[in-house]
Amino acid sequence: MAIRRSIIRGTGHYLPERVVENSHFEETLETSDAWIRDRTGIERRHIAAEGQTTSDLAIRAARAALDNAGMTADQIDAIVVATTTPDLTFPAVATMVQAGLGMQRGFAYDVQAVCAGFVFALSNADGLIRTGQADRVLVIGAETYSRIMDWTDRGTCVLFGDGAGAVVLEAVDQPGTTDDRGILSSDLNSDGRYRDILYVDGGVGTTGTAGCLRMQGNLVFRHAVEKLAKTAHTALDKAGLTPADVDWLVPHQANMRIITATAQKMQLPMDKVVLTVADHGNTSAASIPLALSVANDEGRFKEGDLIVTEAIGGGLSWGSVILRW
């Protein structure tokens, strides 16, 4: 029996012009390029210009994805944006993207699951397509984490960067087998008991300010390695597949040590892992769509490749999506 699947038709990304090398932090913090590289794998990151907002980045990534898909904004039914750093408390960044693209139809909204946001948004958009509420959905991850950094905190400020990535999903009927193209399964999780190990110390209902990111890095690392491998296995099981079937792992680009440990737990060689963390740092909800877009631009994916995406973020929230290119 035919199944309605969500196929990626196009990818796109945008990175701010300003590039900050690790050596920049040597001027103000007790750190070094070697220390940052050794512990994180990060070499540089992009930082948004003054006045450049999350929606600005998202609009540019969206236009690139539409161009890559050979589509125009008036062919899109819905926009879902994953972000933790919206321009305003409301309206949603997605509505700003809608206006920026000149799209006067459909609907748009944001999803907030921190670094796992794009996985949640992708699963959500797949649900819209599977239930017939939309035929084409623009899914975006966009962040300006530089706005919530404590630039005196060596443990966090060297990790994050700004950027945006986007994919265009389109409904296509498939035979309903494990060989189908498109999104095959997803697995989403959260556990609010761990909110204090990764959070922002501000908000509308508390301080009335944006606040700054706070993290207990060692605890986050331990949870990340365990939970990322488990969610990937769970999603593969749901799809009737195994790690041996995987062609590419496109993980949240948080930390090279986490990525390596997760790949090892999944018994995947590193030449099957898409890596952008060295050049982008941790761009939170933007990291997976950025990595997908970069790899697609490089021609690394071929039709029929099985791809695992997985991420973990504050909440704690974590999950994975299995898709065939």
Side-chain angles (χ1 to χ4, degrees), residues 296-320:
N296 190 30
D297 285 353
E298 293 173 352
R300 299 175 73 179
F301 303 144
K302 66 180 185 298
E303 186 173 320
D305 278 356
L306 188 72
I307 298 172
V308 176
T309 66
E310 38 88 345
I312 187 169
L316 290 173
S317 302
W318 67 99
S320 57

Side-chain angles (χ1 to χ4, degrees), residues 9 19 33 41 55 57 101 127 129 147 150 158 196 198 256 281 305:
R9 289 300 194 197
V19 178
D33 173 46
S55 66
L57 276 55
L101 296 177
I129 286 176
R147 309 299 192 223
D150 176 352
V158 302
D196 291 338
L198 180 55
M256 190 63 190
D305 278 356

Side-chain angles (χ1 to χ4, degrees), residues 68-252:
N68 185 249
M71 296 182 188
T72 58
D74 61 5
Q75 294 176 276
I76 300 298
D77 301 308
I79 300 173
V80 183
V81 173
T83 187
T84 312
T85 52
D87 301 13
L88 303 169
T89 301
F90 70 83
V93 170
T95 61
M96 299 177 189
V97 174
Q98 185 183 32
L101 296 177
M103 178 180 159
Q104 299 181 30
R105 59 183 296 276
F107 56 97
Y109 59 93
D110 290 355
V111 169
Q112 210 278 54
V114 200
C115 297
F118 184 76
V119 168
F120 276 61
L122 197 59
S123 178
N124 193 271
D126 179 49
L128 295 176
I129 286 176
R130 283 176 179 262
T131 56
Q133 295 183 74
D135 292 323
R136 297 185 181 94
V137 183
L138 187 57
V139 189
I140 306 167
E143 302 283 15
T144 48
Y145 258 54
S146 59
R147 309 299 192 223
I148 55 170
M149 285 295 102
D150 176 352
W151 295 105
T152 67
D153 181 3
R154 182 183 69 169
T156 59
C157 72
V158 302
L159 303 177
F160 293 88
D162 301 332
V167 303
V168 177
L169 292 183
E170 183 176 37
V172 176
D173 287 339
Q174 293 285 282
T177 72
T178 57
D179 292 327
D180 285 359
R181 293 181 64 200
I183 294 176
L184 302 179
S185 66
S186 62
D187 178 61
L188 305 180
N189 308 270
S190 63
D191 192 335
R193 293 176 299 170
Y194 300 109
R195 67 177 188 178
D196 291 338
I197 69 173
L198 180 55
Y199 69 102
V200 168
D201 62 0
V204 175
T206 52
T207 64
T209 64
C212 291
L213 185 146
R214 307 297 178 193
M215 180 173 68
Q216 298 179 46
N218 290 337
L219 288 176
V220 172
F221 178 88
R222 291 204 296 271
H223 280 285
V225 173
E226 171 201 349
K227 289 177 168 56
L228 289 175
K230 184 176 180 180
T231 185
H233 280 289
T234 299
L236 284 166
D237 286 344
K238 288 180 180 180
L241 297 162
T242 71
D245 299 308
V246 176
D247 295 295
W248 294 100
L249 173 64
V250 185
H252 169 45

Side-chain angles (χ1 to χ4, degrees), residues 14-21 24-25 44-50 52 57 143-147 149 151 157-163 279-280 282-283:
Y14 175 76
L15 292 159
E17 292 183 8
R18 183 188 174 198
V19 178
V20 175
E21 302 284 345
H24 168 82
F25 296 101
R44 61 192 62 84
R45 73 286 294 146
H46 293 252
I47 301 295
E50 184 176 354
Q52 193 173 35
L57 276 55
E143 302 283 15
T144 48
Y145 258 54
S146 59
R147 309 299 192 223
M149 285 295 102
W151 295 105
C157 72
V158 302
L159 303 177
F160 293 88
D162 301 332
D279 294 324
H280 301 166
N282 183 344
T283 54

